């Protein structure tokens, strides 16, 4: 887990941080210790700030949660909207949707991991989870239309297929290694391929 | 989330619990609030016990964590060993492995969810995660052998294929509804099928 910080202030024991660094480091802490278990005091310590100085940067843990998950949700929503705008063919939409969300997860694993691990214990979390559900529903809808059109097998319920697909993609935030063999662009084509035709060698 | 308890004691404000109920309810709390954020005091309150009475039932949060994840790991390990013992054909082993873990996750979603969300902040957690990795490695190994044998496409690295497969299956603990359309036995055949041949309608 990265611990790089970018102090921008002039010192005297109170490092200055760009806002994006505060968010990024706080999200690292949430993911490592649990959002519920991380106090503002612990965040201050992690940032090398006093308990009062941290409020110069952020008002609350929730503010960080909202900002980080907003970023993830915006990127994912852009994928959905892009896929629906690009083509009217539901199978192509599905390919773009699976590939695009794969890319977002490779690029923003920490923010998406935070998004996926929400438990819904506050109104803010519930609101974020409602936005997450809109994306799931878009995928269910595309699967359904591709089934109706006759391109996909229809023995599996669209809702279950969509959740299994997202399960596969979402796992990326847990294991993807940006220094590994596959670049995000590779995985972007691997996941739709694996979902569409499976792993068995084709008999063609 | 279930809140059923089975008091076995005779009362006077100190309910008696079967040990399995204590574990089950504690795991519900961990999953709802986060393991790190749940105190013994909060567990006592949830169980209707005093802060001192809870120690009559359990020594620590960690004891619960170990016992619950032990159960999940034992079930999953039995699936792996069963699959390897049943047949020498790696594709059949893979089918049994995917189907069997699917069934375990449908049957023990709360315990497996706890297992999957560990962060490795204590030695106990790291030990549990090491046992979890043994199962992942078994899957990677079976995928690799099935690729070598020529049954599976070889353009995808076995490690990535295995992680995408487990990602798909693991998501079950987040969305599976035992009252829904699919019984565990249904999903047990759905997931290998989806992994093997994908969702596109076959041209046969």
């Amino acid at each position: 887990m990265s611990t790089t910080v970018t102090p921008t202030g002039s010192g005297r024991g109170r490092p200055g941080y760009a806002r994006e660094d505060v968010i990024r480091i706080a999200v690292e802490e949430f993911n490592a210790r649990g959002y519920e278990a991380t106090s503002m005091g612990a965040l201050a310590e992690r940032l090398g700030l006093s308990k009062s100085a941290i409020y110069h940067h952020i008002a609350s843990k929730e503010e960080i949660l909202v900002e980080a998950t907003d970023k993830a949700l915006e990127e994912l929503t852009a994928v959905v909207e892009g896929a629906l705008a690009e083509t009217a063919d539901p199978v192509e939409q599905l390919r773009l949707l699976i590939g695009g969300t794969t890319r977002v997860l490779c690029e923003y694993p920490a923010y998406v991991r935070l998004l996926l691990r929400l438990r819904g214990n506050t109104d803010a979390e519930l609101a974020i989870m409602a936005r997450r559900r809109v994306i799931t529903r878009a995928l269910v809808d595309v699967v359904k239309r591709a089934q109706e059109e006759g391109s996909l097998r229809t023995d599996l319920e669209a809702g279950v297929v969509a959740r299994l697909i997202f399960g596969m993609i979402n796992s990326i935030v847990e294991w993807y290694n940006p220094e590994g063999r596959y670049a995000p662009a590779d995985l972007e084509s691997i996941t739709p391929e694996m979902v569409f035709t499976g792993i068995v060698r084709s008999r063609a």
Side-chain angles (χ1 to χ4, degrees), chain A:
Chain A
M1 192 148 292
S2 164
T3 54
T4 314
V5 299
T6 315
T8 58
S10 55
R12 284 210 289 184
R14 191 212 255 198
Y17 284 102
R19 186 170 179 84
E20 64 187 48
D21 289 323
V22 173
I23 304 287
R24 180 176 53 78
I25 293 168
V27 170
E28 278 179 15
E29 280 299 291
F30 293 160
N31 284 335
R33 314 275 163 211
Y35 174 69
E36 295 83 357
T38 306
S39 65
M40 284 291 275
L43 283 184
E45 198 175 320
R46 173 71 174 74
L47 290 158
L49 296 167
S50 73
K51 275 197 185 190
S52 60
I54 193 172
Y55 291 97
H56 173 72
H57 293 279
I58 42 168
S60 65
K61 286 201 303 180
E62 199 163 86
E63 189 176 294
I64 301 169
L65 181 73
V66 168
E67 204 159 312
T69 54
D70 237 26
K71 176 67 180 163
L73 285 163
E74 270 168 24
E75 294 283 338
L76 292 168
T77 303
V79 166
V80 173
E81 289 172 356
L84 298 180
E86 175 93 6
T87 166
D89 174 0
V91 170
E92 270 319 297
Q93 288 174 343
L94 189 53
R95 183 182 302 276
L96 291 166
L97 233 157
I98 295 172
T101 53
T102 297
R103 182 181 39 74
V104 171
L105 269 65
C106 290
E107 286 170 356
Y108 303 94
Y111 289 6
V112 177
R113 185 190 288 204
L114 188 64
L115 178 67
L116 294 174
R117 290 200 170 195
L118 289 181
R119 301 172 198 272
N121 287 325
T122 64
D123 288 345
E125 289 178 55
L126 290 170
I128 295 164
M129 290 164 80
R131 289 178 65 196
R132 198 178 74 182
R133 266 198 304 281
V134 171
I135 297 169
T136 307
R137 273 203 298 268
L139 181 64
V140 174
D141 185 54
V142 170
V143 170
K144 208 173 273 175
R145 284 189 286 110
Q147 285 183 333
E148 284 163 3
E149 188 222 44
S151 307
L152 300 192
R153 49 198 290 183
T154 51
D155 54 336
L156 304 180
E157 200 175 41
V160 166
V161 169
R163 278 167 188 82
L164 288 169
I165 292 172
F166 265 153
M168 175 180 278
I169 299 170
N170 289 343
S171 73
I172 289 171
V173 301
E174 306 289 342
W175 56 261
Y176 180 64
N177 171 12
E179 268 100 58
R181 174 168 156 192
Y182 295 116
D186 298 322
L187 271 180
E188 186 172 353
S189 59
I190 286 171
T191 51
E193 185 63 16
M194 192 161 150
V195 167
F196 280 178
T197 57
I199 62 173
V200 169
R201 185 188 285 275
S202 90
R203 284 132 296 185

